[in-house]
Every structure is written in C-alpha cells, then in structure tokens.
Amino acid sequence: MEKTNETKKTYYDRSSEEIFQIFSSSETGLSEDQIAKNRIEYGENKLQEAKKKGFIAVFFGQFKDLLVIILIIAALISAATGDRSSTAVILAVLILNAILGTVQYFKAQKSLESLKKLSSPQAKVIRGGKLEVIPAEDLVCGDIITLDAGDIIPGDARLLESYTLKTNESSLTGESLNAEKNASFQCSKGESVALGDQKNMVFSGTLVTYGRAKAIVTSVGSGTELGRIAQLMNDTGERKTPLQVTMDNFSRKLSAAIMVISFVVFLLEYFRGFGLLPSLLFAVALAVAAIPEALASIITISLAIGTGRMAEQNAIIKDLNAVEGLGCVSVICSDKTGTLTQNKMTVEYTDAYAENGRLMLLASVLCNDSKIADGEYIGDPTESAFLENFIKLKGNETLDKTLSKYPRLAEVPFDSDRKLMSTLHYVDGKYIMFTKGAIDVILGSTYSLTEEEKKNISDENFDLSNHGLRILGFAMKEIGEERSISPEDEGDFTYLGLMAEMDPPREESMKAVSDCIAAGIKPIMITGDHKVTASAIAKRIGILREGDLAVTGPELDQMSEEELNQNLEKISVYARVSPDNKIRIVQAWQSHGHIVAMTGDGVNDGPALKSADVGIAMGITGTEVAKDSASMILTDDNFATIVKAVLNGRGVYNNIKNAIRFLLSGNAAAIVAVLFTSLLGLPLPFTAVQLLFINLITDSLPALAISMEPLDKTLLNDKPRKRTESVLNKETLKSIGGTGLLISIATILAYFVGLGSFPWVDARGIGAVGASTMAFSVLCLARLFHGFNCRGREDIFRLGFFSNIYTIGAFVLGAVLLHLILLLPFFHTAFGIAPIDARLLLYVWILAFLPTLVIQIEKRIRYKNEK
C-alpha cells in the first residue's frame, strides 16, 4: 500500500505555461524526439498487472488447512495398514473440496481485465502542428489532445481550452450528475481540491458528454487516476471472511484435541497388547471419526442454500463465504446515489412569483434540452426532472402539444461562466425569451422585484440549499421580434419563480436504515456528492443523527490517524471522497474489530470493495470493475436488499453452528465411550468400519438436514458477532459437553447390556461382539435423534416438527440403513455385528431416545424461563 500513500504531483493548481515547461511541450504538440523521451521518463499508457497465481499453486493451496493435513496423514496411515476404503473416502472428499476452491478462485480474479477494457482505443492528438488519430496506448505525457462529445478520454489531462465542456465522471467520483469543466478554473498552488471539483482537469476512462476542448496530457497508464485505482487493487489483499477466520481457529483447537486423544488411545491399546499396527489403525480410525469430514460439505451446502435465498431477494453471490460474512457485518458503508436514493432527480418544491405559475411551468420545459424517446428520458437529469414534473401535472399528451405549439426559435446555450440558458419562443402573441439558471444571477438581472423581495428569495434559496436541494430560477423577457439572441439579451428580466430538485430517498430506505440500527449495525454514507446534499439525505433517512458528523474527502485527508480514530464512531457521512479515502475508512473500522460491508458502483470503488470484508456492487448502475471486485451484486441496487442479506447471513451461520454442535457432541460421545472402555481394560466398543459408517451416515445425514433449516427472522434482533468470536464459545462447548455426555452414557449402558452386566437383561451371552453391536446401534440411533435437538434454540414443537422435512428424511434414511446392517446377516461380518433379537432392539430404541427426551425437556423449561 506504500505507493498509494505517496504524494501525487498535481496539475490543477498550475498554469498551462508551467505544464508546457514540465513536459517540454507546446501548443503545436510534441516532436518525435520528445515523444520518445517522455515515454521513457513518464511511462506508457498501459495498466500494469499483478503477478497471478497459477492453477497448480491455487489447487495445492487448498490443502493448507490443519484439519486437511491431519486427514491426509490419516489417509496415508490407512493406506499403509491396508484400509483401502477409509483411504478412498478421505481422499475423495479432500480432492473434491480442492477442486471447488480452485474453480471459485479463478472466477473471482477478473478486476484488472475489466479496467483494461475501459481504456480508450483511440486518441486525437496534435503532434508537430498536425492533428492525428493514434492508438490510445501510444499516448505520452505532454501530448496535446482534442476532445468532442462522445469521446472517451485517453489519459489524465489539464484543459487548455474548453467550450461548454461536460464529462461523466461517475465511475471515478460516484457523482451521478455530469461534471462541468472549465479551462480557466484557478486555485492557489498546493491547495487541496477533491477530484470531483478539479474543473480544469479531465480523467482517463471518463466520457465527454457535451461540448469540446483541447488539453495537455499530464498522466498516462499507471499514473492516471484510473491507473492508481488499478494499483490500489493490486495492493489490496483479499481478506478472510469471518467464517474462514472462525473455522481456522476451530480447526486448530479441534486438531490439537484429536491428536492428543488419538495418541492416548494408541498408547492404551498398544500397552494392552493389541500390537503396533492394530493399535495404530484404531487410533487413526478414531481420529478420522472425530474429525467432521462432512463439515466442509455442510458449510458449502449451507452457503449455497443461502445463495439461492438471496438470489430470490435480488442479491447475487459470487463468493460463497460472503453469504455468512454478511451475517456478522457491524458496519455498512453505502453509496448514496441509487442505493439509498432513487437515482433520478425529482422536482420537490416550486415557488412561482405572483401569478406566473403557468409561465414558469412553460419555461421549465421550453428552455430545456432533454427529450423523451421510447419512454426514456434523454439528456441532463436536472432538465429531465422538469419534463417529468410537467407530465405529472398536465399529462404526457399536453407536453407533446406544448412543445409543438411553442417551437424554439433561437437559443443561447448554457455556459458555466454565465450560469444561464435562454431560448426564444412565440407565446401568447409575443416573442418571449425564457431564461433559467442560478438564482443569484437571475436576481441580479431582474428589475421586477424590490430589494426586500430579492432578499426573501435569496433566503429561501439558501434554506433550500441547506436541505440538499438543487435550485434553479426562471425568468422571462419580451423580445420585439423573431431574431437571434445572445448573452447581451440576458438582463432586465421579469422574475417567474424557482424550482428545487433532489434525488429523493427510496421509500424503503428509512425502514432499512432503522432495521440496521436495531440489528446493531452502523450505517454510513460514502458519496462523491456535496456535503450539504449528502447530509440532507442522510438526516432524512436516519443515518445522520443528533451528534453525528459529516466530513469531506479533503477534510479526511487532513486528519491524522489519531484524529480519525477519535471521531470514527461519530462520522456518519463522508462526501467528495477519493478511492484512497474509501480504503482508509474501511480499514479504520476494521482496525477497531468491526466487520465492514462496502457498496459501490464505479471504477473508483473497486479497491474499497476488495478491501472490505464484504464488497457489494450495484447490478444496474455498476461498472464491470465494481462487479468483479465485489463478492455480492445487488440486482435492484437497493439498500434494503442488504438488510435482507444480513438476516440471511445470520441464518446461515446459525445453521452451520448448529451442525457443528451436532457433529462434535456425537463425536464426543464416541470418544468418551472409547476412552472409558480403554481405561477399564474392556474390549473396544466400536470397530474401525463401524466408526466409518458413523462418520459417513449418522454424522452427515442429520448435519446436512440441519444446514437446510428455514430462516429464523428473530436473528435480526441479535447483535453482530465479532470477528474473533469462536464457534466453540462457552455456551457451545457447554452444550457439546452436556449432550455428548448424555449420549455417551446411553452408549455405555448399551455396551454393558450387550456384555450381560445387568441380570435383569438377558443378552444371551452375545459377548464382546454383542456389546460392540449394542453400543454402535445406540450411538447411531441416538445421534439420529439428536439431529432434532440441534435444529435451533427452542424445542422441536415450537420450531415446528414438520418445518424442516429434511431432518425427518435424514432420521428415516439413517435408521433404515442402520437396521439393514443389524438385521441382514450379509453385513454382519464386514461390520462386526452380532445378531440381536427384538427385545434387545427395543432396549436400543429406548436408550437412544432417552438423551433426546432429556434435552427436549430442558429446552422447554429454559424457553419458559426466558419468556
């Protein structure tokens, strides 16, 4: 990140003569010799690419997880001892997960390709006094370029001449309105000016929408604003999602515990005289049984289900892990335009002077360059809003008739110096020039108002501006005849009134922001718009509350890290921000332990989207760069959709956590049973094949069903979990230990029933094999029952017994497979099963059900106490 923090040379604060001198250029352009020198000194007009990982590196990188390494060792030991079935199962699971991870990686690495597509293919340059068209990549600093409407600007450049020039810089600044450019713009040397306010500069990759200009190229390739964003994206590393961090910690702790337990069991069996290889084989089998291999698949399926739900709610997920990441988001940095607002200017307020309402309405559509074609508004959004306002009041048909009845006879186009636009029409038997523009300019040229009236209008304009509205005044002047008009005619106006516009908030934004705050999430507005406008919208929808602050990008640049950290919790609005600012904001919140979601639609948002824990791109207005950098895309560009995604993410994590609780409590029961019998010097309660069956069937089926549990909407009332919060927290460990102990007690009792230890139970001398059969049967069935316990916090009847039919299906299928093994002699030898009669089978069912009965009673009592 060091390159992005270096002081970049500025050109907006220099005169054209200075810039000519810097690049050894002139009005007639560069000579051939100087072109070669500048290319060597300032670089080529190409974006640099970061070194990419190859397929092999990515594929083998998937095997770095500690649990995966232990499973590989277990597979090798199984292979060495001749246990081919265990080896095959373990390797198949590992290879499948590695393939899925590799495919996902390469799908996500497209950001720089999209940036390169934005490069202009051609540039119009003046070299040696002649106009030439050259490939944009041949452009060098110091070249003189000409620009016309429709051109994509090939490099960052300082304007030398401009004629009503407007550019669309939304992909860089986030500002939806066209930027007005002016070659004569001046500021003090060294003065900090936000990108969107550099009126004498144009930027690579942006579009000329109006007018024409001549400029001198000041930066090319990686030195442009577009190139700096590409560099930021190279320097910005992908962050691990909260789930990945949690599972990494979980893997380390579980692996350590499993290795210790397996080693202890190996020593116990070896010193009891079972031999080296048999002891090692059983220890490996126990380790394989203790490691929840199904967990990777369960997480993937849970995330995939969440992805499907979110697609139905207008959110497309690119990175599966981002689904759960949304669930623990504690800060959402949202763009304003189109996400919190409707992304269209709307007339919110009109104030016609005296009886001039009809004439002002006429002026708003006649002195107007926008059009309607095929139901779409074409032209400046501000002017389009006037047409829409007319249609709301008078109807579409009346608009067509009005435009036909009063054709434009002459015009003076808008100019940023004059801040006015005028058109001539024949209205009511008179030639009338309608003028619209800045209120202060119109009032200064109006004779029909008293000084008090002018002051009242100025005060009204000031008040409306402070509420974030864009105000235009309207005036008229009678012209004696049909003739051409000029700026000299713009004076001695009759004031008609004013209209105020804004891009209004979406209807659902206020509730979505309120839901965010209730869910413990801090919503923040980050926009390229002006501070006043942004603050007004933020107040209206509840983001900017009492005591909160709004700051601009240049103000943020002046803040030290200490100042930012002190004010971070209070700042709710950031306006006129740069790409560097966005990354700094995201990283500041992350340094405070928060999980940050960032929305964006422009090229300038790419680095911040990549830096955030969850990057969210806009599907409608978003550039390809933003979409490629993000892990989620909103197809409706709606902030409310993010809140729905947060709930969905919390549901996914809740299901994964419940599945882990199920898997580990069952594994704990098996380990306790093995350690208990080993310490007492009794025969082992399970065979290696039985452990493999438990691992693949009675582990996997209910756990998969739990991952499909329907969404619990009350989860939105919970506070976001922290990045450092372990999936094995105190409450979860207590639950795993308690339920695991209950199941192990039932399993051990079944074991002693099989041994014939209870005189009131006739086990008919089925011995050690029978004891193993009883223990295996009860453990399998108890874990199948336990699947119902792990569906949620409440008891099964409050959750709804049939609300998750997959748990019922998992229980039935698992029970059928278990009984096939118990009752069909074909399986007895392979699984080490002794024949059992109906009475013993009844004991299996009773003992297996008892832990679930106790757990359900406890849940019921606890639920009543909590209420």
Side-chain angles (χ1 to χ4, degrees):
M1 294 293 294
E2 292 178 1
K3 291 182 183 178
T4 62
N5 294 329
E6 290 175 1
T7 303
K8 185 176 184 288
K9 185 178 285 188
T10 57
Y11 298 99
Y12 59 83
D13 56 350
R14 298 171 187 265
S15 67
S16 54
E17 289 76 17
E18 282 183 272
I19 298 174
F20 279 135
Q21 190 174 358
I22 290 169
F23 297 111
S24 302
S25 186
S26 66
E27 291 277 1
T28 58
L30 296 170
S31 65
E32 289 298 326
D33 289 343
Q34 196 59 46
I35 290 169
K37 288 179 183 177
N38 284 8
R39 183 170 285 119
I40 293 169
E41 185 172 353
Y42 301 105
E44 296 185 323
N45 198 19
K46 294 179 181 178
L47 297 179
Q48 293 181 352
E49 291 190 39
K51 189 176 180 181
K52 296 179 181 178
K53 288 183 183 178
F55 176 84
I56 293 174
V58 173
F59 180 79
F60 284 103
Q62 308 299 315
F63 294 93
K64 290 180 180 178
D65 183 81
L66 189 55
L67 277 180
V68 172
I69 293 169
I70 291 175
L71 282 173
I72 291 171
I73 294 169
L76 292 173
I77 295 173
S78 297
T81 54
D83 188 0
R84 295 179 181 176
S85 57
S86 296
T87 306
V89 169
I90 296 168
L91 291 179
V93 170
L94 294 178
I95 291 169
L96 179 61
N97 282 332
I99 291 171
L100 289 173
T102 303
V103 170
Q104 189 64 35
Y105 176 89
F106 283 107
K107 278 185 179 178
Q109 303 301 308
K110 294 180 181 177
S111 295
L112 280 173
E113 284 79 357
S114 295
L115 277 168
K116 287 175 75 177
K117 288 176 187 175
L118 279 177
S119 299
S120 174
Q122 290 185 322
K124 294 177 288 188
V125 302
I126 298 172
R127 288 179 171 176
K130 295 180 180 178
L131 182 65
E132 302 176 21
V133 178
I134 63 170
E137 64 181 29
D138 291 343
L139 199 71
V140 297
C141 289
D143 264 327
I144 307 300
I145 57 173
T146 65
L147 302 170
D148 295 286
D151 288 348
I152 294 176
I153 298 166
D156 289 3
R158 165 71 155 82
L159 293 175
L160 302 173
E161 301 172 8
S162 63
Y163 305 93
T164 61
L165 184 70
K166 293 183 182 181
T167 62
N168 185 331
E169 296 178 350
S170 60
S171 62
L172 282 179
T173 65
E175 173 58 70
S176 57
L177 296 174
N178 290 332
E180 295 173 9
K181 297 294 179 177
N182 192 333
S184 60
F185 171 81
Q186 290 181 336
C187 66
S188 303
K189 194 150 189 182
E191 182 182 343
S192 177
V193 178
L195 191 73
D197 295 324
Q198 294 175 19
K199 297 184 182 296
N200 58 3
M201 295 291 295
V202 290
F203 302 102
S204 178
T206 60
L207 177 70
V208 178
T209 59
Y210 192 84
R212 58 192 176 86
K214 187 161 73 170
I216 178 169
V217 176
T218 56
S219 302
V220 293
S222 298
T224 63
E225 290 297 326
L226 190 66
R228 291 179 69 239
I229 292 169
Q231 186 61 52
L232 281 172
M233 293 179 72
N234 284 343
D235 294 342
T236 304
E238 298 262 351
R239 287 178 65 86
K240 283 190 174 183
T241 66
L243 181 62
Q244 288 171 318
V245 172
T246 298
M247 295 316 299
D248 284 348
N249 293 333
F250 168 71
S251 296
R252 283 194 293 272
K253 292 175 182 176
L254 183 62
S255 299
I258 288 169
M259 284 190 288
V260 170
I261 291 168
S262 296
F263 183 68
V264 169
V265 169
F266 166 74
L267 291 177
L268 287 171
E269 294 304 298
Y270 178 72
F271 287 113
R272 286 176 59 198
F274 280 90
L276 180 63
L277 276 179
S279 300
L280 184 61
L281 179 60
F282 185 77
V284 169
L286 184 64
V288 172
I291 296 172
E293 291 96 332
L295 186 57
S297 301
I298 287 157
I299 290 173
T300 301
I301 288 170
S302 295
L303 296 174
I305 291 168
T307 298
R309 283 182 188 147
M310 292 172 74
E312 293 171 4
Q313 297 173 340
N314 300 312
I316 297 171
I317 298 297
K318 287 175 57 194
D319 178 4
L320 281 179
N321 286 306
V323 176
E324 184 279 330
L326 277 159
C328 30
V329 160
S330 53
V331 176
I332 299 178
C333 299
S334 176
D335 189 24
K336 174 183 71 71
T337 306
T339 309
L340 293 165
T341 66
Q342 297 176 22
N343 196 25
K344 67 172 186 176
M345 297 299 286
T346 304
V347 175
E348 294 252 318
Y349 176 83
T350 61
D351 184 10
Y353 177 71
E355 302 298 322
N356 291 327
R358 171 182 168 270
L359 287 171
M360 182 174 73
L361 194 61
L362 270 180
S364 72
V365 296
L366 295 179
C367 187
N368 191 321
D369 284 334
S370 63
K371 296 178 177 60
I372 302 174
D374 299 324
E376 296 289 329
Y377 291 96
I378 299 171
D380 188 272
T382 302
E383 294 189 316
S384 296
F386 293 137
L387 295 186
E388 185 178 35
N389 180 60
F390 189 98
I391 291 170
K392 283 181 182 177
L393 296 173
K394 302 292 184 179
N396 196 43
E397 192 175 327
T398 306
L399 174 64
D400 292 337
K401 288 179 179 177
T402 300
L403 295 176
S404 300
K405 184 177 180 181
Y406 306 118
R408 185 178 299 185
L409 304 175
E411 66 180 295
V412 183
F414 177 83
D415 183 277
S416 57
D417 291 329
R418 293 170 22 253
K419 298 182 181 178
L420 296 174
M421 173 185 176
S422 299
T423 56
L424 182 65
H425 305 267
Y426 188 67
V427 180
D428 299 337
K430 301 172 184 175
Y431 290 100
I432 294 177
M433 181 180 75
F434 288 120
T435 300
K436 75 163 183 277
I439 284 286
D440 56 338
V441 177
I442 284 179
L443 291 179
S445 303
T446 299
Y447 71 91
S448 61
L449 299 172
T450 65
E451 289 304 314
E452 185 180 353
E453 286 175 324
K454 288 182 179 181
K455 182 181 182 304
N456 290 338
I457 294 168
S458 293
D459 290 344
E460 182 181 28
N461 176 53
F462 181 78
D463 184 57
L464 290 170
S465 297
N466 281 339
H467 283 83
L469 279 82
R470 182 185 178 94
I471 303 99
L472 285 176
F474 294 89
M476 59 172 278
K477 178 181 180 179
E478 285 190 28
I479 303 292
E481 59 184 350
E482 181 180 349
R483 60 173 174 83
S484 62
I485 54 176
S486 68
E488 284 70 33
D489 293 305
E490 293 173 332
D492 296 329
F493 291 132
T494 298
Y495 180 69
L496 298 177
L498 61 80
M499 290 188 178
E501 302 179 352
M502 77 182 312
D503 179 9
R506 288 175 177 264
E507 292 180 9
E508 59 272 35
S509 288
M510 192 177 294
K511 184 181 184 307
V513 168
S514 175
D515 287 343
C516 263
I517 295 167
I521 300 168
K522 167 86 172 174
I524 294 172
M525 180 187 288
I526 300 181
T527 178
D529 211 339
H530 292 280
K531 183 175 176 178
V532 171
T533 306
S535 298
I537 294 289
K539 282 180 184 175
R540 196 160 159 179
I541 61 179
I543 286 180
L544 190 65
R545 297 185 289 174
E546 191 70 33
D548 286 353
L549 302 175
V551 301
T552 64
E555 287 170 347
L556 180 62
D557 289 333
Q558 299 303 314
M559 283 187 188
S560 66
E561 290 303 317
E562 185 180 352
E563 287 174 316
L564 177 59
N565 288 329
Q566 286 175 352
N567 292 293
L568 191 65
E569 301 278 349
K570 299 176 186 176
I571 303 173
S572 294
V573 175
Y574 294 89
R576 308 304 272 175
V577 291
S578 68
D580 291 355
N581 293 149
K582 293 184 179 185
I583 290 181
R584 189 181 178 199
I585 295 162
V586 168
Q587 292 178 343
W589 279 104
Q590 288 171 337
S591 70
H592 282 64
H594 288 273
I595 295 167
V596 182
M598 171 82 186
T599 75
D601 56 4
V603 175
N604 63 325
D605 295 318
L609 289 173
K610 219 174 164 190
S611 179
D613 296 286
V614 182
I616 305 168
M618 304 297 108
I620 298 172
T621 59
T623 60
E624 286 303 309
V625 175
K627 292 175 186 177
D628 286 343
S629 301
S631 44
M632 183 174 102
I633 300 168
L634 301 183
T635 58
D636 60 354
D637 290 11
N638 194 337
F639 184 82
T641 302
I642 303 173
V643 180
K644 294 177 188 174
V646 167
L647 172 60
N648 191 65
R650 292 185 179 184
V652 166
Y653 178 73
N654 194 51
N655 288 349
I656 290 171
K657 189 174 178 180
N658 288 338
I660 290 173
R661 195 165 74 238
F662 166 79
L663 290 168
L664 294 189
S665 55
N667 290 358
I671 290 168
V672 168
V674 168
L675 287 174
F676 182 82
T677 55
S678 296
L679 289 170
L680 292 181
L682 297 171
L684 288 170
F686 316 110
T687 68
V689 176
Q690 287 172 358
L691 287 174
L692 191 61
F693 176 84
I694 292 168
N695 209 15
L696 294 176
I697 304 301
T698 55
D699 263 7
S700 301
L701 291 177
L704 288 171
I706 290 166
S707 71
M708 298 179 186
E709 186 70 21
L711 205 59
D712 178 5
K713 293 184 179 178
T714 63
L715 290 170
L716 200 57
N717 300 327
D718 296 343
K719 297 302 178 187
R721 70 183 182 89
K722 294 182 179 178
R723 178 184 294 280
T724 53
E725 182 183 319
S726 172
V727 71
L728 295 178
N729 56 28
K730 188 176 179 181
E731 182 188 346
T732 306
L733 285 172
K734 186 178 175 182
S735 172
I736 290 169
T739 55
L741 184 61
L742 283 173
I743 296 171
S744 67
I745 290 170
T747 303
I748 292 167
L749 285 173
Y751 178 84
F752 282 115
V753 167
L755 279 180
S757 301
F758 301 114
W760 61 87
V761 179
D762 182 11
R764 300 185 184 179
I766 57 176
V769 178
S772 173
T773 302
M774 289 294 290
F776 166 68
S777 303
V778 168
L779 182 61
C780 282
L781 199 55
R783 292 177 78 160
L784 290 172
F785 274 120
H786 190 45
F788 293 106
N789 301 323
C790 294
R791 283 182 51 194
R793 291 179 280 196
E794 300 173 0
D795 64 86
I796 192 68
F797 298 104
R798 292 195 179 276
L799 286 172
F801 186 75
F802 295 101
S803 62
N804 184 353
I805 59 170
Y806 299 103
T807 51
I808 299 171
F811 179 85
V812 171
L813 181 57
V816 167
L817 291 172
L818 172 63
H819 283 71
L820 287 175
I821 290 171
L822 294 177
L823 301 176
L824 295 181
F826 173 79
F827 294 107
H828 288 182
T829 303
F831 283 86
I833 299 295
I836 57 174
D837 59 19
R839 193 164 50 161
L840 288 176
L841 197 57
L842 179 62
Y843 279 115
V844 168
W845 276 85
I846 292 170
L847 288 169
F849 179 68
L850 281 176
T852 292
L853 179 63
V854 173
I855 292 166
Q856 287 296 314
I857 291 171
E858 185 272 336
K859 280 177 176 274
R860 189 79 171 181
I861 294 169
R862 179 159 45 84
Y863 178 81
K864 284 184 178 179
N865 290 338
E866 287 175 355
K867 286 290 180 182

